[in-house]
Amino acid sequence: MKAVDMMTAPPVTVGPTATAFEAALRMEQEAIGCVLVTDRDGQLCGILTDRDLTLRGLAHGVDYGRLVADLMTAPVTTVGADDDLDTAYRTFRSAGVRRLPVLDDGRPIGMLTVDDLLRDVVQRLFDLLIPVSRSVLRENVV
């Protein structure tokens, strides 16, 4: 399975000249914890998380009118659309992040989260346990 198969799409983006307030409002409206920051050509230039807003913004008394470009994390750890899930797992592990933008030709096309991979793990475990439970049930019936 590929990253593109598990990602949430489309990603929510803002421009680097958006304000912290506008980004926070967008996160609230979309019920998400981050927005991707893209330039006019749609190329990824950063990520702004709720944690960035708190630690780089509110904790230092930053004005809500501060530009996203001043608060975002860059460069961003990403995966490619054609990367397999094993690559995504390794990237999450090595980078210590909770979200990975999925890129196609430098442009974000979706977001892959630790929660997405957790759902994958649970589904795989479920797929393994169903045949086992069926065989146990058959043995108990006989």
Side-chain angles (χ1 to χ4, degrees), residues 2 6 9 19-20 24 28-30 43 46 58 67 69-70 75-76 80 89 104 108 118 121-122 127 131 138 140-141:
K2 305 246 183 235
M6 292 288 299
T19 65
E28 179 191 27
Q29 291 168 341
E30 300 288 337
Q43 296 288 318
L58 295 174
L67 297 182
D70 297 333
V76 183
Y89 276 99
D104 186 21
L118 181 59
V121 167
V122 169
D127 291 345
R138 271 186 256 128
N140 288 334
V141 172

Side-chain angles (χ1 to χ4, degrees), residues 3-113:
V4 72
D5 299 322
M6 292 288 299
M7 71 182 190
T8 300
V12 178
T13 63
V14 297
T17 59
T19 65
F21 178 77
E22 291 167 334
L25 187 60
R26 190 79 192 275
M27 287 183 210
E28 179 191 27
Q29 291 168 341
E30 300 288 337
I32 55 175
C34 74
V35 290
L36 298 179
V37 184
T38 56
D39 64 18
R40 291 180 191 197
D41 296 325
Q43 296 288 318
L44 183 66
C45 49
I47 187 170
L48 183 73
T49 67
D50 47 8
R51 184 172 170 84
D52 292 331
L53 285 171
T54 301
L55 297 181
R56 293 187 186 139
L58 295 174
H60 297 281
V62 171
D63 178 4
Y64 286 109
R66 184 91 179 258
L67 297 182
V68 165
D70 297 333
L71 301 171
M72 70 184 187
T73 298
V76 183
T77 303
T78 64
V79 292
D82 290 331
D83 287 343
D84 60 28
L85 286 185
D86 289 337
T87 299
Y89 276 99
R90 283 192 304 276
T91 304
F92 274 116
R93 220 175 13 253
S94 65
V97 295
R98 295 179 48 220
R99 302 168 179 101
L100 288 173
V102 180
L103 302 184
D104 186 21
D105 198 27
R107 290 179 175 78
I109 59 168
M111 183 72 75
L112 188 62
T113 67

